[in-house]
């Protein structure tokens, strides 16, 4: 799940904004298109917290896009 989010999410800023938005909702289930379903307050909160701290997308450009050294 981490690899997918790092590759496909625009960046940590987008994830933090999403997390801050959905924390205001009363969420019991997060059902991704692929993968396990997160049921219950504890798991949904853990997933949202994880997303809010993940470096992804543009956050990773400095460490990924470099000229290789021999």
């Amino acid at each position: 799940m981490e690899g997918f989010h790092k590759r496909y999410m625009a960046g940590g800023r987008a994830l933090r904004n999403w997390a801050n938005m959905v924390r205001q909702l009363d969420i019991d289930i997060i059902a991704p298109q692929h993968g396990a379903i997160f049921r219950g307050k504890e798991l949904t909160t853990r997933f949202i917290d994880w997303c809010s701290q993940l470096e992804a997308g543009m956050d990773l450009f400095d460490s990924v896009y470099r000229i290789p050294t021999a």
Side-chain angles (χ1 to χ4, degrees):
M1 186 169 73
E2 184 174 344
F4 169 83
H5 282 80
K6 284 186 173 193
R7 287 188 307 274
Y8 287 96
M9 298 297 116
R13 184 175 179 189
L15 286 166
R16 285 188 299 279
N17 286 330
W18 172 82
N20 291 335
M21 178 185 66
V22 299
R23 278 194 180 106
Q24 299 173 54
L25 302 172
D26 184 25
I27 299 173
D28 291 319
I29 296 174
I30 296 176
Q33 290 179 349
H34 304 284
I37 293 174
F38 300 92
R39 291 183 200 270
K41 297 289 184 197
E42 180 184 348
L43 288 180
T44 58
T45 299
R46 282 178 55 194
F47 177 74
I48 294 167
D49 289 344
W50 176 79
C51 284
S52 72
Q53 298 173 26
L54 186 66
E55 289 188 336
M58 294 298 289
D59 303 333
L60 304 174
F61 270 31
D62 290 339
S63 63
V64 174
Y65 292 99
R66 295 185 185 168
I67 296 173
T69 57

